[in-house]
Amino acid sequence: MGMSTDRMSKRTNSKSICMKFLLLVVLYLNGAVALAQSTQPSQASSPGTSPFIVSDIVIEGNRRIDVGTVLTYLPVRTRESFDPVEDSARSLRALYETGLFNDVKLLQRNNDTLVVSVEERPAIASIDISGNDKINDDDLEGSLRDADIARGRVFNRSVLETVERELRRVYFSIGHYDMEIETEIEELPRNRVAVKIEIDEGAVATIRHINIVGNKAFEESRLLDLLRSGESGWYPFSSRDDYSKVKLAADIETLRSYYQDRGYLKFEVTSTQVSLSEDKREIFIVINISEGEKHVIRETSIVGNTTVDRGDLQRLIKMKPGDEFSRKDVVATSSAIVDRLGQEGFAFANVDVQPDIDDNKKDVGLRFVVEPGKRVYVRRIYFTGQYKTRDEVLRREMRQFEGSAYSPARVDRSRVRLQRLPFMQSVSIRTPRVPGTEDQVDIEVSVQEGPSGSFQAGLGFGTDGATFNLAFNQENLFGTGQNLRFSLDRSDTTTQLSLTSRNPYFTEDGISRTLSAFIRETDTTEDSETIRFFNSTLGGSVTFGVPLTEFSNFSLGLGFDRSEITTTSGTPQEIIDATDEFGDTFDIFNLILGYTYDTRNRTVFATSGLVNRLSFEAAIPGSDWEYFKLGYRFEYFRPITSRYTFSTSARVDYGDGYGEFERLPFFQRYFAGGVRSLRGYRTGSLGIGNRELGTPGGGLTEGRDEFGNARGGDFRTLGTTEIIFPPPFVEEPGTTRFSLFVDYGNVFPTFEQFDTEDFRASYGVAFVWLSPVGPLTFSYALPFNERSNDRTRRFDFTIGTIF
């Protein structure tokens, strides 16, 4: 019994030891696994349903988009509570709305790290547009850019589809109804795409017929002539029948203005129908109008707080009782009142026109309700865009000053003065309100500088022979606005070396100073139309310009010339006699006076304004030849349309001797003919006299010497009338222009022999190009009253300064 009990006890102890051993093994394995898991990254899974505190945010999958960009759009921050139910949807929506990602996932790691896994949309590597002729690449790329499609941007196909619809709308608006667009997206490495847009513009739909319905006061043909849209024009390459919604809208406004400017106050365009043929090639337009009744002016009045003399404003109203109502006159009157108030500093004045219409009497009373607002002052004037010109050079041209009352007239004059600077290409002025105030504005002047300096060296051949020029010109020396010019010019007849320096503000009051020196040799002994001799001249001058008013200037100067004359076998006897009597070297001391009144908007290629120039030059007593020269020049420019300008000019020059000298010196006479005076005739070849060339004899009253060359004269008068316009297909004049012209005038030996029956005239076409090597002038002229001894030339071209 005892033995059995001992055995059983030993067996029990053995089992207990085995169980303890197995338990230790299990505990060891569990610890090893836990240790291994603690040394490896935690695995992420979709967030559960229980909120947790975000310990960290990790962005995965981004290659091109910066981590900070993603975190900016993500509405979750670290150490904030994250509710998987509410915040997941909000976060996904925020990231998808950026348009940057194709796919977004939110994951949670077991240490409460929020993982944002994104799949980026591809970037646009290139955009290739082909087939577009009517709309240029820049305009199309601008439309794409506005839709956020550009190189380097994220590609979004839905936006591209919107752009395709927009392009169709643009082409439809200009009449290309059968146009087609094909878009190809090519996938490239590194998550990029190439966008290819191929456009088939098709043929433009042309206007087959326009019908105006409802007109009674005016014939339909008269109204149709007003429109830019219509059936094909009579001249080649006419675009009148090209349909455009914009052009049709402008035509409707033209009809409205035409009627309302002639008394039809209640004119309306009731409807417009545009129908397209089945082949999308022809368009039929019907414009329905209601003319209404013609109204006349019953009375006009000005009401409101005018702040200036009411009588002054009343005088600005040009409409009188009984006159036909005219919308154009109403608008002009409102603008005139606003401008007048602007002169007193009321920059934001408003004029509301209230018509009182009486349909029974068919008249209308007009009340101009004036609301001047507050007087406005200029706080600051800023200049932007200049990279070389000093601030004071621009500021001294301003006629609107800081701290003074704002004046539209002074601001506009400031713009014109800046625009007239030879080194300025364009000028624009903005007048924004000062934030937080009602009575202050800033003036922001934006300028674009043109090339101010040039160095030129060139060879050429014109109708007056071979030319060589070497020139350095700086219109804006060191940004000071001063001018320095050095030039060497050589042609078949003339060699000249000159140096000129001009300081437009020699004094702070605006007095200018011009210094010049030159050496000139003139050889007319061969291939010349004028009297033949050799003249070597050197000289210089100093001239001061004094501004009298905003538009006028007085000049005063002194000069010295020394001329050495050499005669040849071809020199006429009168010059030989003069050199025998007075010598062949002449020292001349000149007094120079001038007056200029100039209102042009530009000094080159002006489109409005006028110029009056009066000049006087006299060799003072003690000079080797005593004489004087008096000149007057008039120029007038008036815009006809936005593209066409009317211009007319006249020039009168008179000279004479005094003391013991009865005539101008032969080397100071006036000549005429050529591209710069009277086109269609050879340079310097004109003069009165009607004898055949080569006939001997004749005195000073004849236009030519015994060798048939022009003598020149003491009196000259010239005139030109032109229609100026830019080249076809060029919207802005830029550096080129055409003109249709008529030239007339002549040179006369003396003033007493002036007779308009001796005038010569021509007509033709001219082209001017402000090229990098200097102004190029081409003209083709047809003389229409030439005499048998005149020397004509239809085509001329030259390189030189525009006068």
Side-chain angles (χ1 to χ4, degrees):
M1 222 35 216
M3 251 172 112
S4 299
T5 302
D6 291 338
R7 288 178 181 173
M8 291 178 61
S9 177
K10 291 181 181 180
R11 192 175 299 165
T12 301
N13 290 336
S14 298
K15 289 182 179 180
S16 176
I17 292 173
C18 290
M19 292 297 294
K20 290 180 180 180
F21 177 76
L22 290 175
L23 180 60
L24 289 174
V25 171
V26 170
L27 291 175
Y28 174 78
L29 292 175
N30 287 338
V33 171
L35 180 62
Q37 287 180 345
S38 67
T39 58
Q40 293 178 359
S42 60
Q43 301 297 315
S45 61
S46 299
T49 58
S50 300
F52 62 93
I53 302 300
V54 178
S55 63
D56 192 13
I57 299 176
V58 176
I59 309 299
E60 296 180 349
N62 61 307
R63 297 180 180 178
R64 186 182 65 259
I65 300 173
D66 187 70
V67 170
T69 301
V70 182
L71 293 176
T72 300
Y73 291 111
L74 186 68
V76 178
R77 299 292 181 266
T78 57
R79 295 186 298 277
E80 292 182 355
S81 176
F82 183 86
D83 187 340
V85 177
E86 296 180 0
D87 293 335
S88 291
R90 185 164 59 97
S91 300
L92 291 173
R93 182 169 57 253
L95 293 177
Y96 275 119
E97 286 178 352
T98 64
L100 300 174
F101 310 108
N102 280 328
D103 189 25
V104 179
K105 294 179 181 178
L106 297 180
L107 304 173
Q108 179 186 2
R109 289 184 178 150
N110 55 10
N111 56 355
D112 293 338
T113 297
L114 181 64
V115 179
V116 181
S117 178
V118 298
E119 179 185 338
E120 295 178 343
R121 282 181 171 166
I124 299 174
S126 64
I127 300 176
D128 182 25
I129 304 174
S130 62
N132 54 302
D133 294 327
K134 294 293 184 180
I135 304 177
N136 60 45
D137 288 348
D138 292 339
D139 292 340
L140 288 180
E141 290 181 1
S143 299
L144 294 173
R145 198 178 302 110
D146 293 340
D148 209 31
I149 293 183
R151 296 174 182 86
R153 303 279 182 87
V154 174
F155 173 70
N156 189 334
R157 183 176 292 275
S158 62
V159 175
L160 184 60
E161 293 171 354
T162 302
V163 172
E164 290 181 8
R165 290 195 298 272
E166 176 65 16
L167 291 178
R168 293 182 189 278
R169 187 194 65 78
V170 172
Y171 272 98
F172 287 174
S173 69
I174 60 175
H176 288 263
Y177 287 97
D178 59 343
M179 63 87 62
E180 296 291 340
I181 298 178
E182 291 187 7
T183 304
E184 180 183 350
I185 308 300
E186 181 183 354
E187 295 185 0
L188 301 176
R190 300 192 302 278
N191 198 27
R192 299 177 304 150
V193 295
V195 179
K196 297 181 180 180
I197 301 176
E198 184 175 352
I199 300 174
D200 181 3
E201 295 180 328
V204 62
T206 57
I207 298 173
R208 178 65 174 170
H209 184 68
I210 296 181
N211 188 27
I212 298 177
V213 179
N215 57 299
K216 298 176 182 178
F218 305 103
E219 294 290 337
E220 184 181 29
S221 58
R222 182 178 181 181
L223 298 178
L224 291 175
D225 288 341
L226 300 173
L227 308 184
R228 293 174 57 200
S229 303
E231 299 177 19
S232 179
W234 57 267
Y235 53 93
F237 310 109
S238 170
S239 61
R240 191 167 188 263
D241 59 344
D242 289 348
Y243 172 74
S244 166
K245 287 184 179 180
V246 175
K247 188 165 65 170
L248 181 59
D251 287 336
I252 291 174
E253 186 60 30
T254 298
L255 283 176
R256 181 176 289 107
S257 298
Y258 185 79
Y259 269 93
Q260 292 186 347
D261 288 344
R262 287 159 179 79
Y264 293 90
L265 175 62
K266 292 192 172 183
F267 171 86
E268 291 183 1
V269 176
T270 57
S271 65
T272 304
Q273 291 90 38
V274 180
S275 57
L276 189 64
S277 63
E278 292 184 2
D279 61 359
K280 299 182 181 180
R281 296 295 181 90
E282 293 182 336
I283 289 178
F284 300 85
I285 301 174
V286 178
I287 303 174
N288 295 281
I289 65 174
S290 173
E291 293 180 332
E293 298 289 340
K294 181 181 289 189
H295 288 67
V296 299
I297 301 296
R298 180 174 69 250
E299 62 179 356
T300 60
S301 62
I302 293 179
V303 298
N305 180 18
T306 60
T307 70
V308 297
D309 184 69
R310 195 178 299 269
D312 288 347
L313 300 183
Q314 191 71 42
R315 282 187 287 272
L316 297 175
I317 303 177
K318 304 304 180 183
M319 297 169 289
K320 301 295 186 295
D323 291 348
E324 290 181 350
F325 172 83
S326 171
R327 186 178 72 166
K328 177 177 63 178
D329 292 341
V330 172
V331 173
T333 299
S334 298
S335 298
I337 294 174
V338 170
D339 291 343
R340 178 65 183 85
L341 293 172
Q343 295 177 14
E344 303 298 326
F346 298 95
F348 304 107
N350 180 57
V351 177
D352 182 27
V353 182
Q354 297 179 351
D356 180 14
I357 303 173
D358 189 332
D359 289 329
N360 294 326
K361 295 181 180 180
K362 297 180 178 59
D363 59 18
V364 57
L366 298 176
R367 286 194 304 273
F368 294 88
V369 182
V370 179
E371 298 178 4
K374 291 187 176 181
R375 182 174 273 110
V376 177
Y377 296 87
V378 176
R379 186 186 67 164
R380 294 285 186 270
I381 299 177
Y382 301 98
F383 296 93
T384 61
Q386 77 275 22
Y387 60 91
K388 180 178 180 181
T389 307
R390 296 180 183 177
D391 185 81
E392 63 266 20
V393 174
L394 304 179
R395 196 170 293 275
R396 68 193 182 193
E397 300 297 333
M398 297 295 294
R399 292 301 176 260
Q400 175 70 68
F401 304 110
E402 294 178 345
S404 64
Y406 171 83
S407 169
R410 290 196 293 266
V411 171
D412 185 66
R413 181 57 189 169
S414 301
R415 179 186 58 78
V416 171
R417 288 183 64 89
L418 289 169
Q419 185 173 271
R420 285 166 56 89
L421 294 175
F423 45 86
M424 283 297 158
Q425 186 168 330
S426 64
V427 179
S428 62
I429 297 180
R430 294 179 61 251
T431 56
R433 290 178 183 265
V434 175
T437 68
E438 296 181 359
D439 60 351
Q440 287 185 327
V441 296
D442 287 334
I443 295 182
E444 297 178 358
V445 184
S446 177
V447 302
Q448 182 179 356
E449 294 182 331
S452 61
S454 63
F455 179 79
Q456 300 172 185
L459 293 170
F461 186 81
T463 48
D464 289 326
T467 61
F468 168 76
N469 70 293
L470 180 68
F472 168 79
N473 184 41
Q474 177 55 257
E475 295 281 4
N476 190 14
L477 188 64
F478 306 121
T480 62
Q482 299 184 29
N483 170 260
L484 178 66
R485 177 177 176 81
F486 168 81
S487 65
L488 170 64
D489 298 282
R490 181 178 178 86
S491 66
D492 287 351
T493 59
T494 304
T495 300
Q496 177 167 298
L497 182 67
S498 62
L499 177 64
T500 303
S501 172
R502 182 177 185 271
N503 185 350
Y505 279 80
F506 180 64
T507 69
E508 293 182 356
D509 296 331
I511 296 177
S512 65
R513 183 195 65 186
T514 303
L515 302 173
S516 65
F518 70 92
I519 300 174
R520 180 174 59 244
E521 293 185 351
T522 304
D523 184 1
T524 59
T525 57
E526 295 182 3
D527 299 327
S528 174
E529 305 290 345
T530 63
I531 49 179
R532 299 184 176 182
F533 60 93
F534 183 85
N535 183 8
S536 178
T537 306
L538 61 86
S541 65
V542 55
T543 305
F544 296 93
V546 181
L548 302 179
T549 68
E550 183 62 33
F551 303 101
S552 60
N553 182 78
F554 173 75
S555 59
L556 170 66
L558 292 173
F560 169 77
D561 295 347
R562 166 171 287 183
S563 297
E564 296 182 2
I565 307 300
T566 302
T567 60
T568 69
S569 58
T571 303
Q573 188 61 43
E574 60 169 308
I575 295 180
I576 296 176
D577 294 341
T579 55
D580 289 343
E581 182 177 358
F582 302 110
D584 57 7
T585 300
F586 302 91
D587 288 341
I588 308 295
F589 296 90
N590 293 314
L591 173 66
I592 304 168
L593 301 176
Y595 172 81
T596 301
Y597 180 81
D598 189 351
T599 65
R600 292 175 300 170
N601 62 336
R602 295 185 180 91
T603 54
V604 178
F605 286 2
T607 58
S608 64
L610 59 85
V611 182
N612 283 290
R613 285 195 181 98
L614 186 64
S615 62
F616 177 78
E617 177 185 340
I620 62 178
S623 299
D624 291 335
W625 199 307
E626 297 173 348
Y627 66 92
F628 67 89
K629 301 177 78 172
L630 183 65
Y632 170 73
R633 183 164 185 171
F634 169 78
E635 296 179 74
Y636 175 75
F637 300 90
R638 181 181 179 86
I640 303 173
T641 67
S642 59
R643 291 179 59 85
Y644 293 87
T645 301
F646 170 78
S647 170
T648 185
S649 64
R651 182 175 181 177
V652 179
D653 297 295
Y654 170 68
D656 203 350
Y658 69 92
E660 62 177 303
F661 299 91
E662 298 180 355
R663 302 291 306 282
L664 272 179
F666 56 87
F667 52 88
Q668 288 287 349
R669 290 177 186 167
Y670 300 111
F671 291 87
V675 70
R676 292 196 180 100
S677 60
L678 209 162
R679 289 160 285 197
Y681 298 85
R682 291 183 180 271
T683 302
S685 66
L686 285 175
I688 68 169
N690 196 27
R691 59 186 177 81
E692 295 298 327
L693 296 179
T695 303
L700 289 176
T701 59
E702 297 293 346
R704 300 185 184 278
D705 60 22
E706 59 267 31
F707 300 100
N709 299 310
R711 278 193 172 95
D714 294 356
F715 183 74
R716 176 177 64 183
T717 178
L718 299 167
T720 298
T721 298
E722 292 183 286
I723 300 295
I724 303 169
F725 53 94
F729 313 113
V730 174
E731 294 297 329
E732 297 293 334
T735 59
T736 57
R737 76 174 190 183
F738 279 98
S739 66
L740 301 176
F741 65 84
V742 175
D743 290 348
Y744 53 90
N746 208 335
V747 61
F748 301 86
T750 63
F751 174 74
E752 290 74 13
Q753 293 176 271
F754 168 74
D755 191 339
T756 56
E757 292 185 359
D758 288 316
F759 270 15
R760 303 293 191 270
S762 65
Y763 64 94
V765 60
F767 173 72
V768 179
W769 174 31
L770 303 181
S771 73
V773 297
L776 296 177
T777 304
F778 303 83
S779 68
Y780 184 82
L782 296 173
F784 58 84
N785 66 341
E786 67 272 20
R787 305 290 174 84
S788 58
N789 63 336
D790 289 337
R791 299 181 179 181
T792 62
R793 178 168 58 206
R794 295 187 176 184
F795 178 73
D796 265 303
F797 77 89
T798 186
I799 302 177
T801 304
I802 296 177
F803 293 95

